[in-house]
Amino acid sequence: MECDKCGRDAVMHAGYSGAHLCENHFCASVEKRVRGRIRKDSLVPRDATPEDPEHWVIGLSGGKDSVVLTHILDDTFAKDPRIEMTALTIHEGIEGYRDESVDACVELAEELQMRHELVTYEEEFGVRMDDVAEEDPENMAPCAYCGVFRRDLLENYAEEFGADKMLTGHNLDDEAETALMNVLEGDVEQMAKHFDASLGPFDERNPTEEFVPRAKPLRDIPEKEVALYAHLKDLPAHITECPHASEAFRGEIQELMLDLEDRHPGTRHSIMSGYEEMAGLAADRYRSADDADLNDCERCGSTTARDVCRKCRLLESIRAV
């Protein structure tokens, strides 16, 4: 195959667009789409100045998605005095797996000369995911515990660092899977929360003081293209699946999505296009009721819809074992 733009050997073929691209034009295409998403979602506010810069905290796990995101953000904004960036890595206590990915985070941050902070479940909560997965007091998938703890630390440290926004490396596959899960579960209220939390453009969201706003600049890039970009750029990404990964419903959705995309290229893009519009309409419907339900957790002070937040209830269950 030859590149559609220059005639050199192509390294990829995008079934959803029909494009054949060489290494240079493929990498440029990924970067252009990420920067386009940053502009479309209004990540850089008009009032950001060198004297009062915007501060972004980037969730850097060491996997391909977060490494590619951090690399492109640095390439785009490292010399922009209006933007400050901090990479935040969370060690869950998964022996071997997370140790290697932390090494990748440290290597990348040093190469980019970016501020890098590391926090651990063990220091913050007194637990390690290896032990939680083995004991499993709630009879849940390990990802269910880990997701709650990770979101709590990302939110708390983003706030502690004075972040204006928190950026994560969710790709197109991740977002399309979440969208389809919400639709199949009939969870319209969750669709509304998704829009205001991380999906909608910032000028269309309902801002809240309780949470640091989130953004996902990679959400237009298919997972395989993220992996190819990391490979071609020789980035220090740790591409290994977590040994505790086991989300049954998401796994089924992932298989369905891959099959649909293979037979009908462009399915993921179509899902997200329609879902974002539906989520925006849902957000308009649920915003007033959602705001009234929030209060502070009695134990840790985190914002929650209950007296005690999910994190504290899980930790209580784990410590009772």
Side-chain angles (χ1 to χ4, degrees):
M1 297 185 296
E2 294 183 347
C3 176
D4 297 335
K5 296 182 178 294
C6 67
R8 285 181 290 189
D9 289 341
V11 297
M12 64 84 67
H13 168 242
Y16 57 86
S17 68
H20 298 80
L21 299 174
C22 67
E23 178 176 340
N24 289 342
H25 283 110
F26 165 71
C27 291
S29 170
V30 171
E31 293 159 3
K32 180 179 180 180
R33 281 175 281 165
V34 172
R35 290 165 183 155
R37 172 54 61 186
I38 289 172
R39 287 191 297 272
K40 184 175 181 179
D41 285 352
S42 306
L43 263 66
V44 182
R46 294 182 179 180
D47 58 358
T49 65
E51 294 74 29
D52 185 21
E54 177 90 346
H55 186 192
W56 295 345
V57 165
I58 307 165
L60 178 61
S61 68
K64 65 184 186 308
D65 302 306
S66 66
V67 165
V68 167
L69 173 63
T70 304
H71 169 81
I72 294 177
L73 289 174
D74 180 80
D75 187 56
T76 306
F77 295 105
K79 296 181 180 179
D80 189 333
R82 302 171 302 162
I83 304 296
E84 293 180 350
M85 293 178 284
T86 298
L88 174 60
T89 299
I90 297 174
H91 195 310
E92 304 93 340
I94 303 173
E95 187 174 356
Y97 168 77
R98 184 54 73 201
D99 297 323
E100 293 182 14
S101 64
V102 167
D103 291 341
C105 296
V106 171
E107 180 182 346
L108 181 66
E110 289 180 349
E111 178 183 328
L112 301 180
Q113 297 183 326
M114 181 181 292
R115 177 187 173 188
H116 180 225
E117 302 288 343
L118 173 66
V119 298
T120 72
Y121 284 8
E122 189 166 24
E123 291 179 355
E124 298 293 327
F125 306 135
V127 301
R128 295 174 55 84
M129 273 309 302
D130 283 339
D131 299 328
V132 174
E134 181 178 351
E135 295 166 355
D136 187 19
E138 295 285 320
N139 193 29
M140 303 189 308
C143 297
Y145 297 96
C146 196
V148 172
F149 298 152
R150 171 178 288 276
R151 283 191 295 272
D152 181 84
L153 287 181
L154 284 172
E155 179 66 33
N156 286 343
Y157 273 91
E159 184 175 352
E160 180 177 320
F161 297 153
D164 296 292
K165 295 181 179 71
M166 179 168 58
L167 278 57
T168 60
H170 293 77
N171 58 52
L172 175 63
D173 296 54
D174 297 326
E175 290 296 280
E177 289 162 14
T178 297
L180 191 53
M181 288 169 68
N182 287 340
V183 170
L184 292 179
E185 290 177 332
D187 199 340
V188 181
E189 187 170 2
Q190 185 58 38
M191 292 169 59
K193 293 177 180 179
H194 191 188
F195 183 89
D196 277 337
S198 62
L199 186 65
F202 278 90
D203 55 6
E204 296 179 19
R205 297 188 197 180
N206 183 38
T208 63
E209 297 181 358
E210 291 85 0
F211 301 105
V212 176
R214 285 177 282 160
K216 301 170 182 177
L218 284 188
R219 68 184 180 91
D220 298 313
I221 315 299
E223 182 174 18
K224 287 185 178 180
E225 293 186 24
V226 176
L228 179 58
Y229 183 95
H231 171 72
L232 294 175
K233 289 291 185 177
D234 195 27
L235 298 177
H238 180 235
I239 306 178
T240 304
E241 185 177 38
C242 173
H244 300 310
S246 58
E247 289 188 279
F249 186 35
R250 182 175 286 272
E252 293 179 30
I253 294 298
Q254 185 178 52
E255 291 182 10
L256 173 62
M257 189 75 67
L258 291 173
D259 180 59
L260 287 171
E261 185 68 31
D262 183 58
R263 292 188 288 116
H264 309 284
T267 295
R268 292 166 299 187
H269 292 84
S270 297
I271 288 174
M272 287 310 301
S273 177
Y275 176 80
E276 184 171 342
E277 183 174 356
M278 289 191 295
L281 294 172
D284 291 337
R285 165 66 177 80
Y286 281 94
R287 276 172 182 153
S288 58
D290 188 49
D291 291 344
D293 293 334
L294 298 177
N295 50 68
D296 294 337
C297 172
E298 294 176 352
R299 299 180 185 176
C300 70
S302 297
T303 302
T304 178
R306 299 188 179 187
D307 293 333
V308 178
C309 72
R310 178 66 167 157
K311 175 202 67 182
C312 287
R313 286 183 285 122
L314 286 179
L315 288 174
E316 180 181 28
S317 179
I318 292 167
R319 290 163 182 161
V321 175

